[in-house]
Amino acid sequence: MKDAAPQAIHLSAYTPPAYLVDSVALTFRLHPTATRVLSTVRFRPNPAHPEPGDLRLDGEGLMLMAAAIDGAPVAATPDASGVTIPAGLLPGGAFEWTAEVEIAPQANTALEGLYMSNGMYCTQCEAEGFRKITFYPDRPDVMAPFRVRIESDLPLLMSNGNPVDAGWAEWDDPHPKPSYLFALVAGDLVAHRDRFTTRSGRDVALNIWVRPGDEGRCAFAMEALKRSMHWDEEVYAREYDLDIFNIVAVDDFNMGAMENKGLNIFNSKFVLAAPETATDADFERIEAIIAHEYFHNWTGNRITCRDWFQLSLKEGLTVFRDQQFSGDMRSHAVKRIEDVLNLRARQFREDDGPLAHPVRPASYVEINNFYTATVYEKGAELIRMLHLLVGSEGYKAALDLYFDRHDGQACTIEDWLRVFEDATGRDLAQFKRWYEQAGTPRLAVAEDWDGTTYTLTLRQHTPPTPGQPEKTPVPIPVSVGLLSQDGGELRATTVLELTAAEQSFAFEGLPQRPIPSILRGFSAPVILERASTAAERAFLLAHDTDPFNKFEAGRALARDVLTGMITDGAAPGPDHLDALARMLRDDGLDPAFRALALGLPSEDNMAQSLHDAGAEPDPAAIHAARERLTREMAAHLEPVLDALYTDMAQPGPFSPAPRAAGCRALRLAALRLLARVDDGARAERLFGEADNMTEQLGALAALLEIGAGEAAAAAFYRQWRGDRLVLDKWFALQIARAAPERAVALTRALTGHADFDWRNPNRFRAVIGALPANAAGFHDPSGSGYRLVADWLIRLDPLNPQTAARMSTAFDTWRRYGPQRQALMRAELERIRATDGLSRDMGEMVGRMLD
Ligand code: PHE
Ligand code: ZN
């Protein structure tokens, strides 16, 4: 018998909490199988609630040992999701609830609540993990100051806020916070220490806590933290507000990192970095995630979300802030391109399938399933559009008002939009649709030229998404520049505001027919539908002054070439290759930009774009075309690639600085192509000589891609078998770069490897998650790839539903493919759905994908 379908929660059903909390005091008596949690919570009826009634507290999997109201024991019998104290047992005004519960952190494989990792205790409470620690109104609109005492023999004991005593057994957090920001850590850890003085003179102790032996890999994260603190003071006038800021690295973690007040907890892969073990991409990501979690202190913690439907209020904004920061630290042009590639790969894919949902969803079954690219990355795009529409000054005024007005509050998207309206006088009623309507708008363009006036007609259309058959127009800011035939600027960038389904914009008094550069900087998260010639794309790749559109022209050129190869068996023409050669030779261009511009659209991207054009994508054909084009590029571009490979070599000791990283990226992009013409000779040499992980892994990737990486992979394993983070790379890279016909067998073989510790989320993702990244391998026509992934999801689900459910998105594109693949994928989804005891997380995901 299966349980009744879990109930959906609706935004429209929100009601304020019946009781507010004035203070929380917790004592933890830590024990792996029998931890006692003593809580004292001071409640008072919410004046905003007409009739507070019963006291309902959330609680899951807790053994209640004792409970009392104002010191008098109450007989309370918990149900599966909490406990209710009837109004009749409450005094009427304020009162104190005390309880003692027992939990077993060692048995906690879901990694939510209090759990153990390598002998260390740690917590993860967002979104609803606190209810697995004690009984409490576990909702973000209940904010309270916390005081925490930890009893344990372990040397390091930490919670949120400032330590009360020298031994750190007691912590006090004066800033009212929701329970999802609670954290506790206890273990035997060592610190990399530093200090930061805020601009008003507060001296803050900074510590990054890691396992003994890892302390030499913290310096980069610490520097990134200090840069983040300084940047938030300079750009947003936000200062840190405690005397200490602790970061803890943990090996078992479902997500990237968590912004608990004063005690951030990180997946160790986003903290630990040394040149020999971390790639340039790792360094960049660490800097961004350190910044992201730190920025949450104001956007998320001081101002939090009223309910989980408002998740993008903190996540979209904080992603936007970390993108701004990374742009300032590195290159805005390169960062923008990377962000758009990521948006297209993850969010456009999501928006185009059965899992599409608005940035502010209207309902959910399991909130863990809504930490998505839409809430995060599309949410950030919405803020970027607001920024563009109101300008830097307007944005700054709105943000100042936001912090002023809402500090200490739990807010909504309405509150957020209202500060923009109040600060700038702009009406954002239509803009709000962006938060409520799912799907990626298509933007079609028609042009007219009458000899002096150039007219652009823009038309928007958003395809239906689950539950939203009809769409209404959204306001789309379209940045446009006009170029002359000789590559000069006829008109500088202007922002056209498309608000209707269709609108025309005229540019008058032009001396010649312009070449338009549309959607500069990717000014809106839309799909631009504009057919163009290879010659025009090559012209823009050579001449566009907007770096994003310059990149985009090359990308579109490559996409058109690949499309022709796949659909008509066309041969790659010279336009694309010649344009690439010119681009690569342009020493005025940032090497990081050139590396990106040399890349091809991913296989999944191609599948999406073919499907969009009404074709049935065949992953094998896409892979073959991409391989063939790669070989053509190698053959045609060999001289310039060879020169770059030599010129981009970095002398001296490794530096993760952006310039050096960009040179390495270009050099390795050249190497990958050159491997196709030198049988991997250069890659073999680099693999042997490399003194840093970027080049070692880059060389290994080049060898694996040409099917000549076996010896190097074995050597890599011997060298790095003792390093868990590097070993994750070893697992993932081999699978992702395997020839399609070998990918499933290789994945299966690696699941039998002694180091495949599938209970560790990073390792599970490195192996099982790498197969879907090998699109043609995963989509093997036999269905063996689908079966393997589904088998493992079924196995992980009862232990760790959150991670298992997230990875089920491997199947979310099933309706894109031909009838055979569709039937095979559907069968796997149904097999998952029919599994006994399926988690609420997984049940919701497969249900959405199937229905
Ligand atoms: N709030 C975290 C972040 O975005 C992500 C997270 C969500 C981590 C849920 C753990 C659990 O920074
Ligand atoms: Zn976040």
Side-chain angles (χ1 to χ4, degrees), residues 193-332:
R193 296 172 190 273
D194 210 324
R195 305 200 78 83
F196 182 85
T197 306
T198 69
R199 66 176 186 180
S200 71
R202 183 194 285 267
D203 180 34
V204 184
L206 309 177
N207 304 300
I208 299 181
W209 297 95
V210 296
R211 283 162 69 183
D214 285 340
E215 58 273 32
R217 299 192 194 179
C218 302
F220 181 81
M222 182 61 86
E223 292 306 312
L225 174 61
K226 290 189 288 179
R227 286 195 289 278
S228 307
M229 296 177 83
H230 181 72
W231 186 90
D232 216 15
E233 292 185 350
E234 292 288 306
V235 180
Y236 281 83
R238 297 297 110 200
E239 264 189 65
Y240 188 61
D241 52 7
L242 290 166
D243 302 327
I244 186 165
F245 188 73
N246 287 305
I247 290 176
V248 177
V250 53
D251 289 339
D252 296 281
F253 201 73
N254 284 335
M255 306 279 279
M258 181 62 211
E259 69 264 24
N260 317 299
K261 183 77 186 193
L263 179 52
N264 287 2
I265 297 181
F266 272 61
N267 187 323
S268 52
K269 76 186 273 204
F270 296 123
V271 176
L272 303 177
E276 315 78 60
T277 58
T279 63
D280 288 322
D282 292 327
F283 281 102
E284 185 176 338
R285 220 166 304 135
I286 289 169
E287 181 179 68
I289 297 180
I290 290 272
H292 179 98
E293 306 310 331
Y294 175 73
F295 296 158
H296 267 315
N297 191 51
W298 275 94
T299 52
N301 301 4
R302 301 265 315 220
I303 304 180
T304 192
C305 301
R306 187 192 72 175
D307 54 71
W308 292 117
F309 297 102
Q310 322 297 327
L311 183 56
S312 196
L313 179 76
K314 74 176 177 82
E315 295 304 347
L317 176 53
T318 305
V319 170
F320 179 66
R321 275 151 53 69
D322 84 52
Q323 291 176 349
Q324 288 182 304
F325 166 79
S326 294
D328 282 354
M329 296 301 116
R330 293 163 179 263
S331 146
H332 282 282

Side-chain angles (χ1 to χ4, degrees), residues 402-549:
Y402 182 61
F403 293 122
D404 242 37
R405 187 183 277 176
H406 294 298
D407 187 14
Q409 297 177 7
C411 295
T412 61
I413 296 296
E414 282 77 10
D415 295 326
W416 165 251
L417 291 176
R418 198 163 310 113
V419 298
F420 279 81
E421 294 188 319
D422 293 351
T424 68
R426 190 178 256 267
D427 178 356
L428 293 173
Q430 193 195 7
F431 191 87
K432 193 174 167 202
R433 284 186 198 156
W434 274 111
Y435 284 95
E436 296 169 338
Q437 194 164 275
T440 307
R442 308 314 202 246
L443 184 66
V445 179
E447 293 155 74
D448 183 66
W449 169 246
D450 72 359
T452 54
T453 299
Y454 176 73
T455 306
L456 275 177
T457 300
L458 305 177
R459 200 156 25 83
Q460 63 169 299
H461 162 75
T462 304
T465 55
Q468 290 188 334
E470 304 292 342
K471 306 288 183 179
T472 48
V474 287
I476 303 180
V478 184
S479 285
V480 174
L482 301 182
L483 299 173
S484 65
Q485 311 286 339
D486 60 6
E489 286 260 357
L490 279 178
R491 286 288 154 82
T493 306
T494 51
V495 180
L496 311 178
E497 289 183 39
L498 174 65
T499 54
E502 180 173 320
Q503 257 166 282
S504 293
F505 301 87
F507 298 83
E508 287 162 5
L510 292 168
Q512 54 172 248
R513 184 183 178 125
I515 295 159
S517 167
I518 302 171
L519 210 65
R520 283 187 155 177
F522 201 67
S523 58
V526 301
I527 293 174
L528 181 62
E529 289 176 344
R530 176 170 179 270
S532 178
T533 61
E536 192 191 278
R537 300 220 199 270
F539 174 88
L540 288 173
L541 174 59
H543 299 291
D544 204 327
T545 50
D546 178 72
F548 178 78
N549 267 6

Side-chain angles (χ1 to χ4, degrees), residues 811-845:
F811 292 98
D812 75 341
T813 53
W814 69 277
R815 281 200 182 84
R816 258 191 209 160
Y817 297 97
Q820 266 146 18
R821 287 193 174 93
Q822 279 203 21
L824 290 164
M825 277 191 265
R826 182 193 191 104
E828 294 305 332
L829 285 169
E830 292 191 330
R831 182 162 69 93
I832 297 173
R833 174 146 76 174
T835 303
D836 262 346
L838 198 65
S839 69
R840 178 169 58 193
D841 311 51
M842 190 67 98
E844 181 183 27
M845 293 298 278

